[in-house]
Every structure is written in C-alpha cells, then in structure tokens.
Amino acid sequence: MDLLEKIVSLSKRRGFVFPSSDIYGGLGATYDYGPLGVELKRNVKERWWREMVYRHDNIEGLDAAILMHPTVWKASGHVDAFHDPMIDDKASKRRYRADDLIERHIEKLETSGKGKQARDVRTRFVAALHSDDMPKELHRIILDEEIRGPDSGAFDWTEVRQFNLMFETHAGAVVDDETKIYLRPETAQGIFVNFRLAQETARQQVPFGIAQIGKAFRNEIVARRFIFRMREFEQMEMQYFVCPGTQMEHFEEWRAKRMQWHIDNGVRPERLRWHEHEKLAHYADAAFDVQYDFPMGWQEIEGIHSRTDFDLKRHQEFSGKKMEYFDPHRKEKYIPYVVETSAGLDRTILMLLCEAYEEEHIEGEERVVMKFHPEVAPVKAAVFPLVKRDGMPETAQALAADLRGHFNAFYDDSGSIGKRYRRMDEAGTPFCITVDGETMETGSVTIRDRDSMSQERIPKDNAADYLKDRMRTWSRSA
Ligand code: GAP
C-alpha cells in the first residue's frame, strides 16, 4: 500500500473521512468528515479565522450564500471561461486533464536527467497555454512526446476538449434558461459583490480585507486522489483591497504570511514550495501557488493571486452599481486592486494527514501514530483509569469533565492501557493521562507524550494548565 492508500484506509477506520453515501457505494469525489475529521477541520478553520480576521484589525469576516444571481458568473467570466482541457484514453476509457499529463511528463523528464528535453517541452507547453487554440496545441504536445495513458500505458488518445466545471441547477418550479443558476465554484465572488456593503458597514479603509470560509462546487471531470480533488469542497479565501500600484508589495506580504501559517500548523518547511503560474489568467498580474509534497507529487494547496481590479470592474459594468472607493488620504476615487489568498480546506486537511502519518517499530510491534500539531489534533487529551475499580474510573471521569472545559478531552476505560495508547496514537491525541493507585493517594497522574512515549507525573489539578503549555510549545522534534 502506498502512503495515500494507508491514509484513506486509516481515515475510514478511525473516523476522519468517509466516502459520501457509503452504504450506496459512495458518490464520486464527495466525502464526509467523521467524528475525528470534523474536529480536525474545525480546528484548522478556527486557526485560519484567528490568524486572518482576529489578528488583523483591517480584515472583516463574511458568510455569503452559495446560490448567487446568475449574472455574477457572467461578470466573473466563469460562464464563458471556467473550463478544463480534457483528453480521453480510449484504451482505459479514463479522462485526464491534458495540462496535468504534460506537467507530469515534464517532471518525469527532469527527474530522469533529461533536462534539455524537459526545458524544450516546458517552453512549448507555456506557448500552448497562451495560444488561441490551446486544446489543439496541448494535443500536439501529447502526441509528439508520445505521452502514454497513466493507467493503461496505451497511446490511444481522443482530441483535447474543453469542459465547463460549474454545476447548474434551477431556482423555483420552472426548469428553463431563465431560472438557471449555479452552485458557486469559488467563494471569492461572494466577497466581491459584497465589497461596498462590507466596507461601508465595517467603516474600513483601503487597504483592508474580507475573509470567508465556505463550500464551493466544481464538476471536476477527473476527480481522484481522495479529498485532494472533490466536487464539493471548502475554501478559505481572503480578498485584500489595495490602492492600485501598491499590489505587488501586498502580494509579497501575503505570500510570506500564508507560507508561515502552514509551517505554524506543523508542516515541515522542506515539504512546501512556491510554484509560479505558467500562464496568468487574463485579469491577474501575478500568481503563485503554495505546493505540498504529497505522496502523488508536488501539488497546490493554496493560491496567492494579484487579481487587479478585474472583478470589481466587471461587477460595476454588469450590475450598473459603482464599485469605486473614495480614498480620504489620496483624496481620489478608484476601483481597488485585489490580492487574494485562496486556500483549499480539504487539501489542507489531506496535507496535515500526510504530514502526521508515521509508522514506527516499537519492541517488535508496529505503531501507527498521527503526529498532528496539538493545536489541530482532534482530541487533545485522553484520560484512562488504570483499572475499573478502587474509585479510579470516577476520578478519571471527573478529570476528563474538568479538561473538557478547556479543550476536547476523551475518556476511555476499555481494553489494556497499551491498546488504549495505540488507539489514541492513531487518532493523533498528543497526551494520555492515566489515573492509577498513586493518584488515589497523592493526587498525581501520569502524562504520556504521544511522540516520545515518555511519561511523567504531575499533580492532577495542574493538568489543564500543564497541557495547554505543552501544546503551545510543541515542536515536531519534541
Ligand atoms: N478564488 C480563486 C480560486 O478559487 P483556485 O486555484 O481555483 O482559485 C483555490 O482554488 C484553492 O481551492 C486551491 O488551491 C485548492 O486548494 C482548492 N480547490 C480548488 N479546486 C478544488 C477541488 N476540486 N477539490 C478540493 N479543493 C479544491
């Protein structure tokens, strides 16, 4: 089993992530978060919100509806241009993103020492992405480079065709073109259309940001790799409205801050890198992705985009409503430029699962342990009575109840202590507390550290403060 398969299996077994509608055989590219997964996800959202909204007094929160006026998507360009270039392998009947196939081919050339060929293909690839007939040019590269179907190994391709990724539905009882609406493919447009209302009600001045966490939907044609590419997923987006001409300085500021946030969540810096976009969208003047070294290779988890004034200008044009801002310092009106930070919540979760997963061999036995940063760990502490008698269960339950006033704590009295430790290791619980005979005499408990498996005794009444301190000062090598 490769690492991703192990994570898929652990996720289902331990309640992180389940296939959606599992009893009906699942629904492609749609997943549900189980009891542990939902805690992990809430912790990540909470950390993002705290970092973006609470730590910046010039960033406001927003929660816009998923369903929006259909003209929003005409103005944003999604109706006309939210396409992926797809190609079918006739042998395996599988469909792939043509640009993905070529990027992977280039990476393979690079890793097998064919640097010159890799550079030549990349030059052609970049030209193809900018050409007027992008599908045809991508198709030519695939044929010329004899790129084979990743699943079949065959060389039997269809043409490259463009597919729109937006999910359509209808508002009301009548199903026709007049009632057609879309499930939002990004949360960002909810921010753009509320720009004036949010700015005026919060009395913010440029530069300021609006942040939002919410669902987005894309009818991904190639939806594989677990929660990496889903049809229903969550984004954590922030649009930062700035004075035209200052966007690059804010772009660099947000690049640094966003990379640091991932590192602060416990991700090893060497597993993160920047990837500059080969082709800028027509409205962007800079775009970089944060990539993580997933088991299937380097892949995007977050995009930092300098989107100019494109979106606000288009909404002004399509709605007829002014999107201008009067700058009291410059004493002039302008449509602000936007620097966007757009992170995928589910991809962040997959990254944290990959980053945490470790297999260790301890005295002839294998231990699977999820070494999450304690601040994102679903359960912070588990409390065990050593045996189910002599008042230990009652004391342990009272301690767990006390800890729950501070963070998510779990009580467990079933099975041997060793088995209880293993269960908590797989759940990624950083601390296990055992109530034993000595507790009943002296009031001290043992605290077992998930990562080092070392144990120490502390007074049980200090447990909450002690654990909070340990969580705050955690580092991977500890
Ligand atoms: N507002 C800009 C925007 O939506 P994007 O690069 O298309 O930009 C931003 O998406 C982030 O959303 C990506 O970096 C990724 O983490 C996440 N994302 C996009 N499509 C996704 C999908 N099908 N499944 C899971 N996450 C996705």
Side-chain angles (χ1 to χ4, degrees):
M1 257 205 259
D2 70 14
L3 177 59
L4 192 60
E5 285 168 337
K6 286 178 183 173
I7 284 170
V8 173
S9 156
L10 176 109
S11 292
K12 188 165 180 189
R13 192 172 76 247
R14 292 312 318 268
F16 284 101
V17 181
F18 307 133
S20 170
S21 323
D22 190 42
I23 59 169
Y24 291 100
L27 176 70
T30 320
Y31 291 90
D32 299 339
Y33 285 81
L36 289 179
V38 74
E39 293 297 332
L40 178 60
K41 202 173 174 191
R42 285 173 65 97
N43 293 341
V44 171
K45 286 201 239 190
E46 158 66 25
R47 279 175 75 77
W48 186 87
W49 197 263
R50 214 182 322 138
E51 172 63 28
M52 303 299 280
V53 182
Y54 298 162
R55 290 234 168 95
H56 294 90
D57 62 5
N58 67 342
I59 297 186
E60 305 289 339
L62 184 83
D63 187 9
I66 286 169
L67 302 179
M68 301 180 74
H69 194 288
T71 311
V72 167
W73 306 110
K74 290 200 182 90
S76 68
H78 283 81
V79 169
D80 293 326
F82 194 47
H83 296 127
D84 271 349
M86 310 301 300
I87 187 165
D88 290 11
D89 174 2
K90 291 189 216 158
S92 65
K93 309 258 183 298
R94 281 184 176 267
R95 188 162 284 173
Y96 303 91
R97 271 180 62 165
D99 53 336
D100 235 38
L101 285 177
I102 298 172
E103 290 222 56
R104 278 161 187 281
H105 175 68
I106 295 171
E107 264 173 31
K108 257 195 219 152
L109 291 174
E110 277 164 354
T111 50
S112 58
K114 297 180 181 163
K116 157 105 178 55
Q117 192 183 347
R119 280 191 298 280
D120 290 349
V121 182
R122 187 171 292 284
T123 307
R124 256 187 97 185
F125 177 50
V126 174
L129 292 176
H130 287 88
S131 92
D132 291 339
D133 196 350
M134 188 238 279
K136 196 162 132 213
E137 296 304 323
L138 293 180
H139 188 240
R140 276 212 187 118
I141 298 176
I142 289 172
L143 295 191
D144 291 352
E145 289 297 311
E146 295 186 15
I147 298 176
R148 297 184 167 266
D151 295 286
S152 68
F155 184 59
D156 195 6
W157 297 109
T158 61
E159 299 291 301
V160 175
R161 282 167 295 169
Q162 296 276 35
F163 285 86
N164 192 290
L165 300 181
M166 279 202 292
F167 273 107
E168 293 176 5
T169 186
H170 292 268
V174 182
V175 176
D176 62 21
D177 268 0
E178 296 292 298
T179 61
K180 185 155 87 183
I181 56 171
Y182 304 94
L183 302 188
R184 68 179 177 201
E186 62 170 11
T187 56
Q189 297 303 323
I191 292 178
F192 289 125
V193 299
N194 282 296
F195 155 70
R196 285 292 302 272
L197 286 172
Q199 183 262 321
E200 283 165 14
T201 52
R203 297 190 297 114
Q204 285 287 359
Q205 291 186 3
V206 166
F208 78 98
I210 304 177
Q212 169 165 231
I213 300 177
K215 291 266 182 173
F217 301 81
R218 294 183 190 178
N219 192 7
E220 298 284 359
I221 315 293
V222 181
R224 275 180 291 141
R225 302 183 189 153
F226 196 37
I227 54 172
F228 180 80
R229 195 178 301 285
M230 300 155 86
R231 298 205 168 102
E232 175 180 342
F233 57 99
E234 264 183 275
Q235 291 185 314
M236 304 182 287
E237 295 200 301
M238 192 277 298
Q239 319 297 131
Y240 203 65
F241 300 92
V242 306
C243 177
T246 65
Q247 68 272 25
M248 286 324 291
E249 122 206 3
H250 293 291
F251 184 73
E252 291 307 327
E253 167 196 338
W254 281 106
R255 263 180 46 157
K257 284 184 176 171
R258 294 307 305 148
M259 184 60 98
Q260 191 57 45
W261 185 76
H262 294 291
I263 294 168
D264 291 345
N265 285 340
V267 182
R268 280 162 274 209
E270 63 272 23
R271 296 212 180 160
L272 292 164
R273 75 176 186 191
W274 287 109
H275 172 77
E276 190 172 3
H277 281 209
E278 299 287 4
K279 182 191 177 188
L280 287 176
H282 54 285
Y283 51 79
D285 62 5
F288 276 77
D289 295 334
V290 180
Q291 290 189 334
Y292 175 72
D293 190 6
F294 283 102
M296 61 277 190
W298 288 95
Q299 297 283 346
E300 168 188 353
I301 47 165
E302 170 158 6
I304 319 294
H305 311 129
S306 176
R307 291 179 76 131
T308 68
D309 56 358
F310 173 84
D311 299 87
L312 290 181
K313 232 184 197 164
R314 294 275 290 189
H315 288 305
Q316 174 167 292
E317 187 188 321
F318 279 69
S319 68
K321 301 278 168 16
K322 284 269 178 257
M323 290 289 170
E324 286 170 337
Y325 165 81
F326 177 74
D327 190 322
H329 305 293
R330 292 174 178 250
K331 309 235 177 315
E332 57 173 339
K333 269 192 194 165
Y334 53 77
I335 295 183
Y337 270 37
V338 171
V339 172
E340 159 182 85
T341 71
S342 176
L345 177 55
D346 309 273
R347 284 191 193 175
T348 304
I349 299 292
L350 183 58
M351 169 174 70
L352 294 178
L353 288 169
C354 294
E355 195 62 11
Y357 187 95
E358 277 186 26
E359 287 169 4
E360 292 173 356
H361 292 275
I362 314 285
E363 292 163 11
E365 265 188 53
E366 187 179 82
R367 156 173 116 120
V368 172
V369 52
M370 299 299 284
K371 292 188 176 170
F372 294 120
H373 188 306
E375 300 262 357
V376 300
V379 180
K380 312 296 184 206
V383 189
F384 310 148
L386 183 63
V387 288
K388 282 200 251 181
R389 56 182 155 74
D390 304 335
M392 291 181 210
E394 293 76 10
T395 302
Q397 267 165 345
L399 178 57
D402 177 44
L403 294 178
R404 281 187 199 115
H406 301 270
F407 40 70
N408 194 18
F410 181 76
Y411 171 83
D412 188 5
D413 62 13
S414 72
S416 68
I417 284 284
K419 279 209 176 107
R420 286 182 251 171
Y421 282 153
R422 294 290 176 268
R423 282 201 291 267
M424 285 299 116
D425 287 343
E426 279 195 335
T429 305
F431 305 104
C432 291
I433 306 175
T434 304
V435 167
D436 55 16
E438 208 175 317
T439 314
M440 307 313 288
E441 284 173 21
T442 67
S444 69
V445 289
T446 62
I447 304 223
R448 181 252 197 191
D449 179 280
R450 173 197 66 197
D451 300 348
S452 65
M453 293 186 292
S454 63
Q455 303 201 12
E456 61 184 310
R457 280 201 97 85
I458 63 151
K460 103 178 139 48
D461 295 342
N462 294 353
D465 286 341
Y466 173 84
L467 293 184
K468 279 196 239 172
D469 197 45
R470 290 280 306 271
M471 285 186 230
R472 228 190 30 245
T473 54
W474 180 87
S475 73
R476 179 166 286 277
S477 54

